[in-house]
Amino acid sequence: MITPDEPHWQSELAGSYTDPRALLARLGIPAEGLAAPGTASPFPMRVPESFVRRMRAGDPLDPLLLQVLHSPLEDLATPGYGPDPVGDLPARATASALHKYHGRILVIATGACAIHCRYCFRRHFPYGDFALRQSGLEDVLAYLARHPDIDEVILSGGDPLSLSDERLEPLLEALGALPQIRRLRLHTRLPVVLGQRVTAGLLNLLRRVEAAVVVVIHANHPNELDDGIRAHLRRLGDAAALVLNQSVLLRRVNDNTDALAELSQRLFDAGVMPYYLHQLDPVAGAAHFEVDDATALDIMEGLRACLPGYLVPRLVRERPGAPFKIPLEGAMRD
Ligand SMILES: *Cc1c(COP(=O)(O)O)cnc(C)c1O
Ligand code: SF4
């Protein structure tokens, strides 16, 4: 039920497409041969109209559509692709926090996302078991007290901005006020998926956080950043110390220099700096998105040849157990 005083972003989320046939009908694309699972799938399709509006009608290869539409290829088992590709489970520090890297922990603030990206590395994540509850926050605070070397907390998920401002506020206040915490980071795709999430209330909330707020958004293709989204991102930038973007390198979506160069240009126009370009995490169901390393390095060379250095993202791969995300450039090519 949508109540009249519910912020617009929440009603739009509630009305997301969850039926692939309805989405394809909306875009005027025939659904024949679509072997999509029903909405009972553990990772069903989910995409709000605001994101669909940026897809090209009639184009089954639209780069935004390919990110969200279930492919029959997802059901093929691929060697090397599993349920926990980056070793999240062994890195569990508290019921809701992962501690992999020096000085920062990542808190699973919620399991919910505004969009279900088919390549998501946490698509099999046991959120029911992890997502933060009240006692969970106390455990995180106790863990931080035992680890005074941690100076940054990352709220992730899921998508932390899928929580209402009322639920975010106590989290941001409690964590941001700890003297040891210098930076509070949000990993979120919501400002890109549904720009209206950047409400005046959210901006006020971010401005009140005592620690410096860093927001890392997630956009993969320049078509995700139309004029409206760029305006929302600029407002976000006014309230945060830094806004960065991470992308995943995805076959047929953004595996070419032109798309990624234009993405960097549009990010900069919106006050956002490119951060990471991730090589795909080998999560079961996503193998058809893989781009081989040689192609990835060629694309990076293309980006360096046409962009200022500060607009070139860092190509990285996460390896379970490694102390940081591993840069691919500079490694030996064979
Ligand atoms: C990716 C990640 C981080 C952040 O790494 P940065 O290199 O600082 O961006 C922190 N914790 C976990 C568990 C992560 O997966
Ligand atoms: S927004 Fe992020 S966490 Fe959510 S489905 Fe997409 S990749 Fe996964």
Side-chain angles (χ1 to χ4, degrees):
M1 274 298 289
I2 294 162
T3 54
D5 56 348
E6 200 170 50
H8 182 70
W9 67 270
Q10 283 172 328
S11 34
E12 181 144 348
L13 269 193
S16 291
Y17 290 86
T18 52
D19 177 356
R21 283 167 207 282
L23 173 62
L24 292 174
R26 154 78 175 77
L27 293 168
I29 298 170
E32 290 113 56
L34 180 73
T39 48
S41 148
F43 193 67
M45 191 187 83
R46 179 174 170 86
V47 54
E49 169 63 25
S50 57
F51 197 76
V52 175
R53 229 175 277 135
R54 286 167 262 160
M55 297 176 184
R56 288 187 295 256
D59 182 359
L61 296 179
D62 177 85
L64 278 58
L65 177 64
L66 291 177
Q67 295 180 48
V68 301
L69 188 68
H70 176 273
S71 158
L73 297 172
E74 288 183 26
D75 303 327
L76 302 175
T78 308
Y81 281 70
D84 181 22
V86 295
D88 275 341
L89 303 183
R92 194 170 193 177
T94 77
S96 316
L98 307 177
H99 190 182
K100 284 185 184 172
Y101 304 140
H102 177 80
R104 51 229 196 266
I105 56 167
L106 182 147
V107 173
I108 305 289
T110 170
C113 279
I115 189 168
H116 284 175
C117 314
R118 303 317 304 173
Y119 53 84
C120 178
F121 70 115
R122 292 208 181 108
R123 56 178 290 168
H124 306 287
F125 196 78
Y127 283 118
D129 203 25
F130 271 78
L132 195 67
R133 289 172 197 89
Q134 183 52 41
S135 63
L137 177 59
E138 279 151 29
D139 290 347
V140 170
L141 295 173
Y143 188 81
L144 290 171
R146 289 198 304 279
H147 294 84
D149 58 314
I150 295 174
D151 63 6
E152 177 166 3
V153 174
I154 302 167
L155 294 182
S156 179
D159 194 316
L161 290 188
S162 64
L163 297 173
S164 65
D165 292 350
E166 294 68 46
R167 296 204 35 212
L168 267 178
E169 185 165 10
L171 269 180
L172 295 176
E173 270 180 1
L175 294 166
L178 296 174
Q180 82 189 69
I181 298 303
R182 305 175 75 153
R183 291 170 308 278
L184 191 53
R185 196 191 317 183
L186 293 165
H187 277 184
T188 174
R189 187 146 161 68
L190 248 155
V192 171
V193 173
L194 184 53
Q196 282 108 327
R197 177 63 187 96
V198 185
T199 58
L202 176 67
L203 297 173
N204 285 335
L205 196 54
L206 297 182
R207 288 198 180 95
R208 285 204 306 274
V209 175
E210 284 175 52
V213 172
V214 178
V215 181
V216 183
I217 62 163
H218 170 185
N220 299 313
H221 191 278
N223 293 1
E224 292 170 50
L225 303 180
D226 63 9
D227 292 344
I229 294 296
R230 279 180 284 180
H232 286 295
L233 291 174
R234 278 190 292 267
R235 291 167 63 225
L236 188 60
D238 290 339
L242 185 63
V243 185
L244 302 169
N245 178 65
Q246 48 186 346
S247 307
V248 182
L249 184 57
L250 300 166
R251 197 160 86 85
R252 299 197 302 168
V253 172
N254 62 3
D255 56 340
N256 65 84
T257 299
D258 289 349
L260 289 172
E262 182 61 18
L263 175 64
S264 278
Q265 299 275 12
R266 291 196 192 184
L267 287 166
F268 183 81
D269 291 345
V272 181
M273 296 302 289
Y275 183 32
Y276 284 143
L277 175 62
H278 293 270
Q279 264 295 32
L280 185 75
D281 295 318
V283 65
H288 56 291
F289 285 112
E290 184 179 317
V291 177
D292 63 72
D293 285 353
T295 305
L297 290 167
D298 282 346
I299 292 170
M300 291 304 298
E301 226 167 87
L303 290 177
R304 290 193 186 282
C306 71
L307 288 172
Y310 57 85
L311 289 186
V312 178
R314 297 163 221 181
L315 178 67
V316 292
R317 163 176 286 122
E318 185 163 346
R319 286 206 190 284
F324 45 81
K325 303 200 201 285
I326 316 275
L328 268 76
E329 285 182 295
M332 292 294 286
R333 294 182 75 161
D334 47 29

